[in-house]
């Protein structure tokens, strides 16, 4: 078993740490929120005084942080984790950030490094069924894969450094747009006097089926495990979806392609945040659509 340093114990990271502990690893943890550290020490995690201490002496160091600047500062800043880690350590960043920062950290860390953002939300993190999209060299991927498989079900090598982030942004852009149009269809069905169950039974077995419908249905009832049955408790918070859509649009501008649907999805999620939906699951956007006034 390995000695692992883990920094970033939010809704996702804490569950990921627990799965590493269940697999028998020794895990040293840090988060700027003391309560987050306290949430995993009863499971056997060892509290570190700071990020560098969590990384020091670890064979594998993992981060799960909110944004690119946090990742850059944690790894490359004064007293950063890359310098504190052993020369032969493997560094894994599971945050969802911009491609350029992922490539910068990989190039400047001086260590084996992969970016490995995830899909699956808090339910997947808790169940250990996440999908990891990994960017880095084949050699670094081979080292990371066994550890990632102890936190997830699918571990996919997407290409060079930054490729994992690129795939994640494309994935979430598709997911956001699919959830919006699924929500629009349910609201239309309501106005037409159709039942949620009838629409679900038909669409989940026909050409309009999608993960947003069959696994994460935005109305209560048809999929008991979906956040719609828990007053849209995330799940995957709408604020995070808006962040990822913003990163996707930055990438669109950088490469000079077109993404009118992705851009409109970002606009709609920003409207949802302005209406106070940021801490709700992203599928809660159906409530804004139902209420009207959408621009």
């Amino acid at each position: 078993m390995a000695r692992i340093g883990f920094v970033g114990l939010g809704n996702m990271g804490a569950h990921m740490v627990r799965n590493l502990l269940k697999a028998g690893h020794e895990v040293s943890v840090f988060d700027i929120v003391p309560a987050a550290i306290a949430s995993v020490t009863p499971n056997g995690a060892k509290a570190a005084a700071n990020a560098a201490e969590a990384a020091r002496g670890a064979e594998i160091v993992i981060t799960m942080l909110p944004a690119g600047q946090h990742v850059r500062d944690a790894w490359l800043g004064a007293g950063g984790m890359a310098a504190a880690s052993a020369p032969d350590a493997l560094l894994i960043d599971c945050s969802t950030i911009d491609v350029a920062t992922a490539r910068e950290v990989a190039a400047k860390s001086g260590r084996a490094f992969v970016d490995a953002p995830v899909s699956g939300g808090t339910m997947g993190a808790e169940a250990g069924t996440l999908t990891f999209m990994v960017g880095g060299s084949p050699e670094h991927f081979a080292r990371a894969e066994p550890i990632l498989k102890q936190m997830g079900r699918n571990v996919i090598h997407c290409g060079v450094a930054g490729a994992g982030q690129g795939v994640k942004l494309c994935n979430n852009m598709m997911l956001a747009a699919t959830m919006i149009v699924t929500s629009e269809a349910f609201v239309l069905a309501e106005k037409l006097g159709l039942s949620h169950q009838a629409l679900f039974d038909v669409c989940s077995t026909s050409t309009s089926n999608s993960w947003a419908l069959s696994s994460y249905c935005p109305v209560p009832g048809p999929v008991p495990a979906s956040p719609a049955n828990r007053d849209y408790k995330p799940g995957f918070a709408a604020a995070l979806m808006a962040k990822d859509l913003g990163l996707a649009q930055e990438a669109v501008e950088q490469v000079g392609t077109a993404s009118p649907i992705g851009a409109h999805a970002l606009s709609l999620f920003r409207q949802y945040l302005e209406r106070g939906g940021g801490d709700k699951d992203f599928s809660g956007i159906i409530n804004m659509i139902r209420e009207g006034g959408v621009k």
Side-chain angles (χ1 to χ4, degrees):
M1 295 297 102
R3 183 185 183 281
I4 299 173
F6 199 111
V7 175
L9 304 171
N11 293 331
M12 299 288 290
H15 288 309
M16 294 161 72
V17 165
R18 292 186 187 102
N19 285 323
L20 292 172
L21 291 166
K22 288 176 187 176
H25 298 291
E26 177 185 337
V27 186
S28 178
V29 300
F30 178 73
D31 192 284
I32 60 172
V33 179
I37 299 174
S39 74
V40 295
T41 51
N43 303 105
K46 296 182 178 180
N50 51 53
E53 183 179 307
R56 195 167 291 116
E59 301 164 62
I60 298 160
V61 188
I62 302 172
T63 46
M64 188 62 157
L65 299 170
Q69 188 60 51
H70 302 111
V71 172
R72 185 185 291 108
D73 291 346
W75 289 112
L76 304 179
M81 296 166 61
S85 66
D88 59 350
L90 171 65
L91 314 184
I92 303 175
D93 178 43
C94 294
S95 318
T96 297
I97 61 172
D98 60 287
V99 175
T101 296
R103 289 176 173 166
E104 178 188 355
V105 174
K108 295 180 179 179
S109 66
R111 305 286 188 272
F113 183 94
V114 298
D115 54 288
V118 306
S119 179
T122 55
M123 292 183 293
E126 183 174 9
T129 58
L130 295 169
T131 291
F132 287 90
M133 296 151 267
V134 187
S137 72
E139 296 78 15
H140 297 168
F141 172 76
R143 290 180 61 188
E145 184 178 20
I147 294 296
L148 297 176
K149 281 191 171 179
Q150 291 172 337
M151 299 182 287
R153 178 179 294 162
N154 304 301
V155 181
I156 301 164
H157 188 211
C158 299
V160 298
Q165 299 295 345
V167 169
K168 174 66 184 289
L169 299 182
C170 292
N171 177 81
N172 278 15
M173 185 167 68
M174 287 189 280
L175 173 59
T178 305
M179 182 58 75
I180 290 168
V181 76
T182 300
S183 297
E184 290 175 347
F186 271 100
V187 172
L188 174 59
E190 292 168 3
K191 300 292 186 182
L192 294 171
L194 307 175
S195 74
H196 293 159
Q197 193 65 52
L199 183 65
F200 178 85
D201 289 345
V202 171
C203 295
S204 64
T205 56
S206 62
T207 53
S208 60
N209 191 25
S210 67
W211 186 90
L213 173 67
S214 61
S215 296
Y216 222 73
C217 186
V219 297
V223 179
S226 75
N229 298 284
R230 305 187 304 277
D231 191 31
Y232 299 96
K233 178 183 177 182
F236 185 62
L240 295 177
M241 179 58 86
K243 183 200 85 168
D244 291 357
L245 287 168
L247 292 172
Q249 287 305 300
E250 288 178 15
V252 165
E253 293 176 6
Q254 288 167 1
V255 301
T257 188
S259 176
I261 301 301
H264 191 54
L266 173 59
S267 174
L268 290 175
F269 271 98
R270 284 178 172 168
Q271 290 178 52
Y272 186 45
L273 266 58
E274 290 171 0
R275 297 189 187 194
D279 61 351
K280 293 290 189 178
D281 189 80
F282 81 100
S283 60
I285 199 168
I286 190 173
N287 293 318
M288 183 182 79
I289 294 168
R290 187 181 287 119
E291 292 162 4
V294 177
K295 298 176 183 178

PDB file of all heavy atoms in Angstrom, residues 128-153:
ATOM      1  N   GLY A 128     -17.444   5.258  -5.245  1.00  0.00           N
ATOM      2  CA  GLY A 128     -16.229   4.810  -5.918  1.00  0.00           C
ATOM      3  C   GLY A 128     -16.457   4.446  -7.362  1.00  0.00           C
ATOM      4  O   GLY A 128     -15.774   3.569  -7.905  1.00  0.00           O
ATOM      5  N   THR A 129     -17.410   5.133  -8.009  1.00  0.00           N
ATOM      6  CA  THR A 129     -17.749   4.811  -9.402  1.00  0.00           C
ATOM      7  C   THR A 129     -17.432   5.959 -10.359  1.00  0.00           C
ATOM      8  O   THR A 129     -17.992   6.035 -11.457  1.00  0.00           O
ATOM      9  CB  THR A 129     -19.244   4.459  -9.512  1.00  0.00           C
ATOM     10  OG1 THR A 129     -20.023   5.567  -9.021  1.00  0.00           O
ATOM     11  CG2 THR A 129     -19.571   3.217  -8.702  1.00  0.00           C
ATOM     12  N   LEU A 130     -16.563   6.866  -9.962  1.00  0.00           N
ATOM     13  CA  LEU A 130     -16.207   8.004 -10.792  1.00  0.00           C
ATOM     14  C   LEU A 130     -15.578   7.576 -12.122  1.00  0.00           C
ATOM     15  O   LEU A 130     -15.009   6.484 -12.224  1.00  0.00           O
ATOM     16  CB  LEU A 130     -15.217   8.902 -10.052  1.00  0.00           C
ATOM     17  CG  LEU A 130     -15.719   9.602  -8.795  1.00  0.00           C
ATOM     18  CD1 LEU A 130     -14.555  10.231  -8.041  1.00  0.00           C
ATOM     19  CD2 LEU A 130     -16.771  10.643  -9.135  1.00  0.00           C
ATOM     20  N   THR A 131     -15.667   8.454 -13.099  1.00  0.00           N
ATOM     21  CA  THR A 131     -14.888   8.323 -14.327  1.00  0.00           C
ATOM     22  C   THR A 131     -13.762   9.350 -14.279  1.00  0.00           C
ATOM     23  O   THR A 131     -14.007  10.532 -14.039  1.00  0.00           O
ATOM     24  CB  THR A 131     -15.760   8.564 -15.567  1.00  0.00           C
ATOM     25  OG1 THR A 131     -16.694   7.484 -15.697  1.00  0.00           O
ATOM     26  CG2 THR A 131     -14.914   8.636 -16.830  1.00  0.00           C
ATOM     27  N   PHE A 132     -12.530   8.900 -14.485  1.00  0.00           N
ATOM     28  CA  PHE A 132     -11.364   9.788 -14.520  1.00  0.00           C
ATOM     29  C   PHE A 132     -10.908   9.960 -15.958  1.00  0.00           C
ATOM     30  O   PHE A 132     -10.713   8.980 -16.682  1.00  0.00           O
ATOM     31  CB  PHE A 132     -10.206   9.199 -13.705  1.00  0.00           C
ATOM     32  CG  PHE A 132     -10.420   9.260 -12.217  1.00  0.00           C
ATOM     33  CD1 PHE A 132     -11.054   8.219 -11.557  1.00  0.00           C
ATOM     34  CD2 PHE A 132      -9.987  10.347 -11.472  1.00  0.00           C
ATOM     35  CE1 PHE A 132     -11.256   8.257 -10.187  1.00  0.00           C
ATOM     36  CE2 PHE A 132     -10.176  10.397 -10.104  1.00  0.00           C
ATOM     37  CZ  PHE A 132     -10.818   9.352  -9.455  1.00  0.00           C
ATOM     38  N   MET A 133     -10.732  11.216 -16.369  1.00  0.00           N
ATOM     39  CA  MET A 133     -10.230  11.561 -17.695  1.00  0.00           C
ATOM     40  C   MET A 133      -8.797  12.039 -17.511  1.00  0.00           C
ATOM     41  O   MET A 133      -8.581  13.093 -16.907  1.00  0.00           O
ATOM     42  CB  MET A 133     -11.107  12.657 -18.303  1.00  0.00           C
ATOM     43  CG  MET A 133     -12.537  12.203 -18.535  1.00  0.00           C
ATOM     44  SD  MET A 133     -13.773  13.529 -18.432  1.00  0.00           S
ATOM     45  CE  MET A 133     -14.226  13.397 -16.697  1.00  0.00           C
ATOM     46  N   VAL A 134      -7.830  11.305 -18.008  1.00  0.00           N
ATOM     47  CA  VAL A 134      -6.442  11.512 -17.599  1.00  0.00           C
ATOM     48  C   VAL A 134      -5.595  12.041 -18.752  1.00  0.00           C
ATOM     49  O   VAL A 134      -5.603  11.497 -19.862  1.00  0.00           O
ATOM     50  CB  VAL A 134      -5.827  10.193 -17.076  1.00  0.00           C
ATOM     51  CG1 VAL A 134      -4.438  10.454 -16.492  1.00  0.00           C
ATOM     52  CG2 VAL A 134      -6.736   9.552 -16.025  1.00  0.00           C
ATOM     53  N   GLY A 135      -4.837  13.103 -18.460  1.00  0.00           N
ATOM     54  CA  GLY A 135      -3.862  13.640 -19.394  1.00  0.00           C
ATOM     55  C   GLY A 135      -2.458  13.489 -18.852  1.00  0.00           C
ATOM     56  O   GLY A 135      -2.211  13.745 -17.675  1.00  0.00           O
ATOM     57  N   GLY A 136      -1.537  13.053 -19.700  1.00  0.00           N
ATOM     58  CA  GLY A 136      -0.155  12.843 -19.279  1.00  0.00           C
ATOM     59  C   GLY A 136       0.496  11.789 -20.147  1.00  0.00           C
ATOM     60  O   GLY A 136      -0.149  11.190 -21.020  1.00  0.00           O
ATOM     61  N   SER A 137       1.768  11.537 -19.911  1.00  0.00           N
ATOM     62  CA  SER A 137       2.481  10.543 -20.717  1.00  0.00           C
ATOM     63  C   SER A 137       1.951   9.144 -20.408  1.00  0.00           C
ATOM     64  O   SER A 137       1.389   8.898 -19.343  1.00  0.00           O
ATOM     65  CB  SER A 137       3.973  10.595 -20.412  1.00  0.00           C
ATOM     66  OG  SER A 137       4.228  10.051 -19.118  1.00  0.00           O
ATOM     67  N   PRO A 138       2.122   8.195 -21.334  1.00  0.00           N
ATOM     68  CA  PRO A 138       1.689   6.818 -21.070  1.00  0.00           C
ATOM     69  C   PRO A 138       2.334   6.239 -19.805  1.00  0.00           C
ATOM     70  O   PRO A 138       1.686   5.479 -19.071  1.00  0.00           O
ATOM     71  CB  PRO A 138       2.138   6.058 -22.326  1.00  0.00           C
ATOM     72  CG  PRO A 138       2.162   7.094 -23.400  1.00  0.00           C
ATOM     73  CD  PRO A 138       2.624   8.351 -22.722  1.00  0.00           C
ATOM     74  N   GLU A 139       3.604   6.602 -19.555  1.00  0.00           N
ATOM     75  CA  GLU A 139       4.297   6.080 -18.362  1.00  0.00           C
ATOM     76  C   GLU A 139       3.661   6.622 -17.087  1.00  0.00           C
ATOM     77  O   GLU A 139       3.446   5.879 -16.121  1.00  0.00           O
ATOM     78  CB  GLU A 139       5.776   6.453 -18.415  1.00  0.00           C
ATOM     79  CG  GLU A 139       6.564   5.830 -19.562  1.00  0.00           C
ATOM     80  CD  GLU A 139       6.342   6.529 -20.899  1.00  0.00           C
ATOM     81  OE1 GLU A 139       5.804   7.660 -20.907  1.00  0.00           O
ATOM     82  OE2 GLU A 139       6.692   5.935 -21.950  1.00  0.00           O
ATOM     83  N   HIS A 140       3.355   7.908 -17.077  1.00  0.00           N
ATOM     84  CA  HIS A 140       2.739   8.495 -15.895  1.00  0.00           C
ATOM     85  C   HIS A 140       1.315   7.976 -15.705  1.00  0.00           C
ATOM     86  O   HIS A 140       0.878   7.744 -14.576  1.00  0.00           O
ATOM     87  CB  HIS A 140       2.745  10.016 -15.999  1.00  0.00           C
ATOM     88  CG  HIS A 140       4.120  10.602 -16.042  1.00  0.00           C
ATOM     89  ND1 HIS A 140       4.356  11.926 -16.382  1.00  0.00           N
ATOM     90  CD2 HIS A 140       5.335  10.052 -15.788  1.00  0.00           C
ATOM     91  CE1 HIS A 140       5.654  12.161 -16.326  1.00  0.00           C
ATOM     92  NE2 HIS A 140       6.270  11.038 -15.986  1.00  0.00           N
ATOM     93  N   PHE A 141       0.597   7.787 -16.811  1.00  0.00           N
ATOM     94  CA  PHE A 141      -0.747   7.224 -16.724  1.00  0.00           C
ATOM     95  C   PHE A 141      -0.706   5.824 -16.115  1.00  0.00           C
ATOM     96  O   PHE A 141      -1.548   5.482 -15.268  1.00  0.00           O
ATOM     97  CB  PHE A 141      -1.407   7.170 -18.095  1.00  0.00           C
ATOM     98  CG  PHE A 141      -2.713   6.423 -18.105  1.00  0.00           C
ATOM     99  CD1 PHE A 141      -3.855   7.009 -17.592  1.00  0.00           C
ATOM    100  CD2 PHE A 141      -2.789   5.128 -18.615  1.00  0.00           C
ATOM    101  CE1 PHE A 141      -5.070   6.310 -17.589  1.00  0.00           C
ATOM    102  CE2 PHE A 141      -3.992   4.432 -18.606  1.00  0.00           C
ATOM    103  CZ  PHE A 141      -5.136   5.026 -18.100  1.00  0.00           C
ATOM    104  N   ALA A 142       0.260   5.020 -16.537  1.00  0.00           N
ATOM    105  CA  ALA A 142       0.357   3.648 -16.020  1.00  0.00           C
ATOM    106  C   ALA A 142       0.568   3.638 -14.513  1.00  0.00           C
ATOM    107  O   ALA A 142       0.061   2.754 -13.811  1.00  0.00           O
ATOM    108  CB  ALA A 142       1.494   2.908 -16.728  1.00  0.00           C
ATOM    109  N   ARG A 143       1.292   4.618 -13.995  1.00  0.00           N
ATOM    110  CA  ARG A 143       1.486   4.702 -12.549  1.00  0.00           C
ATOM    111  C   ARG A 143       0.216   5.165 -11.834  1.00  0.00           C
ATOM    112  O   ARG A 143      -0.078   4.724 -10.724  1.00  0.00           O
ATOM    113  CB  ARG A 143       2.638   5.656 -12.221  1.00  0.00           C
ATOM    114  CG  ARG A 143       4.014   5.151 -12.600  1.00  0.00           C
ATOM    115  CD  ARG A 143       5.087   6.168 -12.221  1.00  0.00           C
ATOM    116  NE  ARG A 143       5.112   6.432 -10.773  1.00  0.00           N
ATOM    117  CZ  ARG A 143       5.843   7.372 -10.204  1.00  0.00           C
ATOM    118  NH1 ARG A 143       6.586   8.185 -10.955  1.00  0.00           N
ATOM    119  NH2 ARG A 143       5.814   7.534  -8.888  1.00  0.00           N
ATOM    120  N   ALA A 144      -0.509   6.068 -12.470  1.00  0.00           N
ATOM    121  CA  ALA A 144      -1.694   6.640 -11.826  1.00  0.00           C
ATOM    122  C   ALA A 144      -2.902   5.710 -11.867  1.00  0.00           C
ATOM    123  O   ALA A 144      -3.733   5.720 -10.943  1.00  0.00           O
ATOM    124  CB  ALA A 144      -2.055   7.970 -12.500  1.00  0.00           C
ATOM    125  N   GLU A 145      -3.011   4.913 -12.895  1.00  0.00           N
ATOM    126  CA  GLU A 145      -4.231   4.130 -13.115  1.00  0.00           C
ATOM    127  C   GLU A 145      -4.629   3.251 -11.925  1.00  0.00           C
ATOM    128  O   GLU A 145      -5.815   3.258 -11.528  1.00  0.00           O
ATOM    129  CB  GLU A 145      -4.079   3.266 -14.374  1.00  0.00           C
ATOM    130  CG  GLU A 145      -5.340   2.505 -14.734  1.00  0.00           C
ATOM    131  CD  GLU A 145      -5.188   1.696 -16.011  1.00  0.00           C
ATOM    132  OE1 GLU A 145      -4.038   1.411 -16.410  1.00  0.00           O
ATOM    133  OE2 GLU A 145      -6.222   1.357 -16.606  1.00  0.00           O
ATOM    134  N   PRO A 146      -3.721   2.492 -11.303  1.00  0.00           N
ATOM    135  CA  PRO A 146      -4.160   1.640 -10.190  1.00  0.00           C
ATOM    136  C   PRO A 146      -4.741   2.430  -9.015  1.00  0.00           C
ATOM    137  O   PRO A 146      -5.704   1.976  -8.378  1.00  0.00           O
ATOM    138  CB  PRO A 146      -2.874   0.910  -9.780  1.00  0.00           C
ATOM    139  CG  PRO A 146      -1.979   0.992 -10.972  1.00  0.00           C
ATOM    140  CD  PRO A 146      -2.293   2.299 -11.613  1.00  0.00           C
ATOM    141  N   ILE A 147      -4.175   3.598  -8.727  1.00  0.00           N
ATOM    142  CA  ILE A 147      -4.691   4.420  -7.635  1.00  0.00           C
ATOM    143  C   ILE A 147      -6.054   5.001  -7.999  1.00  0.00           C
ATOM    144  O   ILE A 147      -6.999   4.993  -7.189  1.00  0.00           O
ATOM    145  CB  ILE A 147      -3.701   5.551  -7.293  1.00  0.00           C
ATOM    146  CG1 ILE A 147      -2.414   4.970  -6.716  1.00  0.00           C
ATOM    147  CG2 ILE A 147      -4.324   6.562  -6.334  1.00  0.00           C
ATOM    148  CD1 ILE A 147      -2.608   4.254  -5.384  1.00  0.00           C
ATOM    149  N   LEU A 148      -6.182   5.495  -9.212  1.00  0.00           N
ATOM    150  CA  LEU A 148      -7.445   6.082  -9.636  1.00  0.00           C
ATOM    151  C   LEU A 148      -8.559   5.041  -9.649  1.00  0.00           C
ATOM    152  O   LEU A 148      -9.720   5.361  -9.340  1.00  0.00           O
ATOM    153  CB  LEU A 148      -7.293   6.726 -11.013  1.00  0.00           C
ATOM    154  CG  LEU A 148      -6.313   7.907 -11.080  1.00  0.00           C
ATOM    155  CD1 LEU A 148      -6.181   8.407 -12.517  1.00  0.00           C
ATOM    156  CD2 LEU A 148      -6.754   9.044 -10.166  1.00  0.00           C
ATOM    157  N   LYS A 149      -8.236   3.803  -9.968  1.00  0.00           N
ATOM    158  CA  LYS A 149      -9.257   2.751 -10.000  1.00  0.00           C
ATOM    159  C   LYS A 149      -9.769   2.397  -8.607  1.00  0.00           C
ATOM    160  O   LYS A 149     -10.822   1.759  -8.479  1.00  0.00           O
ATOM    161  CB  LYS A 149      -8.704   1.505 -10.692  1.00  0.00           C
ATOM    162  CG  LYS A 149      -8.722   1.626 -12.212  1.00  0.00           C
ATOM    163  CD  LYS A 149      -8.432   0.312 -12.895  1.00  0.00           C
ATOM    164  CE  LYS A 149      -8.673   0.430 -14.403  1.00  0.00           C
ATOM    165  NZ  LYS A 149      -8.381  -0.821 -15.131  1.00  0.00           N
ATOM    166  N   GLN A 150      -9.056   2.826  -7.578  1.00  0.00           N
ATOM    167  CA  GLN A 150      -9.557   2.607  -6.224  1.00  0.00           C
ATOM    168  C   GLN A 150     -10.517   3.718  -5.789  1.00  0.00           C
ATOM    169  O   GLN A 150     -11.118   3.644  -4.725  1.00  0.00           O
ATOM    170  CB  GLN A 150      -8.377   2.488  -5.259  1.00  0.00           C
ATOM    171  CG  GLN A 150      -7.606   1.200  -5.511  1.00  0.00           C
ATOM    172  CD  GLN A 150      -6.317   1.106  -4.731  1.00  0.00           C
ATOM    173  OE1 GLN A 150      -5.745   2.110  -4.319  1.00  0.00           O
ATOM    174  NE2 GLN A 150      -5.852  -0.120  -4.522  1.00  0.00           N
ATOM    175  N   MET A 151     -10.667   4.733  -6.644  1.00  0.00           N
ATOM    176  CA  MET A 151     -11.636   5.801  -6.387  1.00  0.00           C
ATOM    177  C   MET A 151     -12.710   5.869  -7.466  1.00  0.00           C
ATOM    178  O   MET A 151     -13.679   6.612  -7.321  1.00  0.00           O
ATOM    179  CB  MET A 151     -10.915   7.150  -6.309  1.00  0.00           C
ATOM    180  CG  MET A 151      -9.888   7.249  -5.194  1.00  0.00           C
ATOM    181  SD  MET A 151      -9.100   8.886  -5.117  1.00  0.00           S
ATOM    182  CE  MET A 151      -8.022   8.815  -6.573  1.00  0.00           C
ATOM    183  N   GLY A 152     -12.538   5.121  -8.549  1.00  0.00           N
ATOM    184  CA  GLY A 152     -13.479   5.201  -9.653  1.00  0.00           C
ATOM    185  C   GLY A 152     -13.603   3.903 -10.413  1.00  0.00           C
ATOM    186  O   GLY A 152     -12.858   2.950 -10.180  1.00  0.00           O
ATOM    187  N   ARG A 153     -14.552   3.893 -11.325  1.00  0.00           N
ATOM    188  CA  ARG A 153     -14.824   2.694 -12.118  1.00  0.00           C
ATOM    189  C   ARG A 153     -14.149   2.747 -13.483  1.00  0.00           C
ATOM    190  O   ARG A 153     -13.670   1.732 -13.997  1.00  0.00           O
ATOM    191  CB  ARG A 153     -16.338   2.548 -12.296  1.00  0.00           C
ATOM    192  CG  ARG A 153     -16.768   1.365 -13.141  1.00  0.00           C
ATOM    193  CD  ARG A 153     -18.287   1.306 -13.217  1.00  0.00           C
ATOM    194  NE  ARG A 153     -18.874   1.012 -11.909  1.00  0.00           N
ATOM    195  CZ  ARG A 153     -20.150   1.234 -11.599  1.00  0.00           C
ATOM    196  NH1 ARG A 153     -20.959   1.793 -12.488  1.00  0.00           N
ATOM    197  NH2 ARG A 153     -20.615   0.926 -10.414  1.00  0.00           N
TER     198      ARG A 153
END
